[in-house]
Amino acid sequence: MEGALRAIRTVKASRAEARESERVISEATESARQSVRAIRYESVAWTVAGFGIGLATLLILGLGAWRVSENLLTVSALVAFLLYAFQLMEPVGTLTQTVSGLQSGVAAAMRIREVDAFEIEPSDTDRPSRTTTEGRSTLTFENVTARYAPGAAPALQDVSLTIPREGHTAIVGPSGAGKTTMFSLLLRFLNPDSGRLVLDEIPLPEWSLEDLRRRIGYVEQDTPLVPGTLRENLLYTHADAGEPALWEALRAVRLEDRVRELPDGLDTVLSTAAISGGERQRIALARALVSDPEILLLDEATAQLDGLTEAAVHEVIARVARTGAVLTIAHRLSTVIDADQIVVLESGQVRARGTHQELLQTDDLYRDLVAALRIATQV
Ligand code: ADP
């Protein structure tokens, strides 16, 4: 459950809410069964231990009584010995029980609070599906203002933007500028306060969540893998993909040879395998590629990744951008420079738009951001 919640954006974007709920419930049932078994064992253990303690007491009493009858021990000394022994036993037992009880209580309360904060149910599954319209239509933001809570400061304010249905659009801007909010709006994790988003000439709310999210490949920044095997991860968004599609996606992210070398291949359990940060990113990319997405949302990892991963990210962007729209939250200079269109966001507003060369000449903030990325790249 923790794994699913950490990757909650991937779960929702993959329309896997029902699958995840089912998995969690079946594991919870199994856990309940095991708990009952554990309690049964515990009761047996306590009974045996209680019997042992009783037996030991009897032995001490027997031995003590014999020593008293032989005048080797006074009755009062025997009674005092027994009382001290009993008095020590109880507080030590209570202390260990209380400490372990307290620890598991605190941990459980924290998890429950985390679960409370997320909404895992699909929001509108029975809305009728709309089919794709033909033609080279675009994805547009029309005067979009969005807030995370009523009355809160807007995370995006009056944003109007056209994203071509082919090519690579990079979003740059300081932290808190609203980049992630744009992705959340596209995936409908969040609805705009005013204005609208339109995909293929149909406003976003008229798409069913299922159809909308099916068309979008989404790669989260930090926690892109879900618990399970490599195959389960690759099939996560499109469960009906065939094995050749999986290998093709792995080839595209330069992981094919690495996976073929693993003893269990696609059935390797990821938590047990030694997988680097870069490889995790590439697996997440491969998952988005399995279905040939029309729109790829890529939140680029900020961590320093290896050269192979960086090259793989580039190839994937170029490949998807030939036939679809790639939208990146770019954290690497090389990603920004290659983009067909760069959008500079600042404080929830679009500050400038253009190519790398145009923006270098016209926008101060862009120049600063590029300088910062250049330094980060050199480190
Ligand atoms: P960026 O991705 O550019 O760093 P974000 O889109 O995450 O920026 O954030 C834009 C603004 O929205 C920020 O002021 C941020 O504090 C706020 N914000 C982002 N996510 C949430 C959230 N889940 N709840 C409340 N406010 C949020």
Side-chain angles (χ1 to χ4, degrees):
M1 178 175 237
E2 195 192 320
L5 289 180
R6 254 191 287 137
I8 188 73
R9 294 165 70 89
T10 301
V11 172
K12 294 191 78 137
S14 305
R15 297 153 282 112
E17 297 95 333
R19 268 181 285 154
E20 275 309 325
S21 304
E22 242 166 60
R23 196 177 58 79
V24 169
I25 288 169
S26 87
E27 280 176 22
T29 313
E30 176 63 17
S31 158
R33 208 176 60 79
Q34 297 285 1
S35 300
V36 170
R37 238 179 86 198
I39 286 173
R40 240 178 238 145
Y41 280 126
E42 212 176 286
S43 320
V44 172
W46 274 109
T47 313
V48 171
F51 184 73
I53 290 172
L55 204 65
T57 316
L58 267 181
L59 275 177
I60 293 172
L61 270 177
L63 189 70
W66 173 73
R67 286 173 66 91
V68 169
S69 72
E70 296 290 304
N71 279 335
L72 297 170
L73 188 72
T74 60
V75 176
S76 54
L78 174 63
V79 172
F81 177 81
L82 278 173
L83 283 181
Y84 281 131
F86 283 137
Q87 272 184 354
L88 262 183
M89 225 185 279
E90 205 183 296
V92 171
T94 316
L95 198 68
T96 31
Q97 259 180 10
T98 316
V99 170
S100 61
L102 192 71
Q103 276 178 337
S104 53
V106 167
M110 275 162 53
R111 290 283 170 270
I112 288 170
R113 203 166 284 168
E114 273 175 32
V115 173
D116 251 359
F118 286 103
E119 180 203 345
I120 198 163
E121 290 296 320
S123 331
D124 63 354
T125 39
D126 46 8
R127 204 180 277 274
S129 297
R130 298 287 293 254
T131 48
T132 321
T133 57
E134 295 295 319
R136 280 176 46 91
S137 44
T138 51
L139 183 61
T140 50
F141 285 69
E142 295 176 1
N143 307 98
V144 172
T145 296
R147 304 185 154 75
Y148 282 92
L156 280 184
Q157 198 168 9
D158 204 19
V159 168
S160 294
L161 192 65
T162 302
I163 294 157
R165 284 302 307 280
E166 276 160 28
H168 173 198
T169 303
I171 309 171
V172 296
S175 152
K179 305 182 291 291
T180 313
T181 306
M182 288 182 66
F183 279 16
S184 301
L185 286 166
L186 278 171
L187 286 159
R188 288 199 50 215
F189 296 149
L190 184 70
N191 288 317
D193 250 22
S194 62
R196 58 177 200 163
L197 284 90
V198 182
L199 172 64
D200 285 347
E201 284 146 35
I202 300 170
L204 239 50
E206 288 181 27
W207 287 88
S208 73
L209 278 185
E210 176 74 19
D211 279 352
L212 177 72
R213 292 179 182 170
R214 182 191 297 282
R215 307 182 61 195
I216 300 180
Y218 172 50
V219 184
E220 278 189 82
Q221 185 181 68
D222 293 323
T223 52
L225 299 188
V226 288
T229 63
L230 181 55
R231 185 193 303 276
E232 282 163 355
N233 262 280
L234 292 175
L235 287 175
Y236 201 71
T237 310
H238 287 271
D240 45 1
E243 183 133 350
L246 304 190
W247 287 109
E248 169 67 22
L250 286 173
R251 195 171 311 128
V253 298
R254 303 191 181 190
L255 267 180
E256 189 188 10
D257 295 341
R258 171 86 168 90
V259 175
R260 287 203 194 278
E261 277 165 18
L262 291 171
D264 294 329
L266 284 172
D267 295 311
T268 305
V269 176
L270 291 180
S271 54
T272 60
I275 307 259
S276 72
E279 284 164 350
R280 296 176 80 84
Q281 276 292 328
R282 277 184 277 154
I283 294 172
L285 264 183
R287 172 170 59 210
L289 283 185
V290 163
S291 56
D292 274 329
E294 291 167 60
I295 301 167
L296 176 65
L297 305 183
L298 174 67
D299 197 346
E300 206 173 21
T302 39
Q304 290 293 328
L305 294 179
D306 52 291
L308 197 60
T309 301
E310 210 171 324
V313 170
H314 270 243
E315 280 172 19
V316 165
I317 292 176
R319 175 193 170 119
V320 180
R322 277 199 288 276
T323 54
V326 182
L327 199 57
T328 56
I329 295 180
H331 294 295
R332 261 154 227 293
L333 187 59
S334 50
T335 314
V336 182
I337 291 177
D338 281 354
D340 303 307
Q341 167 181 238
I342 301 162
V343 178
V344 186
L345 273 190
E346 187 187 31
S347 312
Q349 288 175 313
V350 176
R351 178 189 156 102
R353 210 148 48 113
T355 62
H356 178 64
Q357 288 307 332
E358 288 163 7
L359 289 172
L360 268 187
Q361 283 162 14
T362 55
D363 194 71
D364 292 340
L365 177 64
Y366 184 73
R367 268 196 294 271
D368 290 349
L369 288 169
V370 165
L373 289 181
R374 195 160 273 144
I375 292 166
T377 312
Q378 280 162 2
V379 165

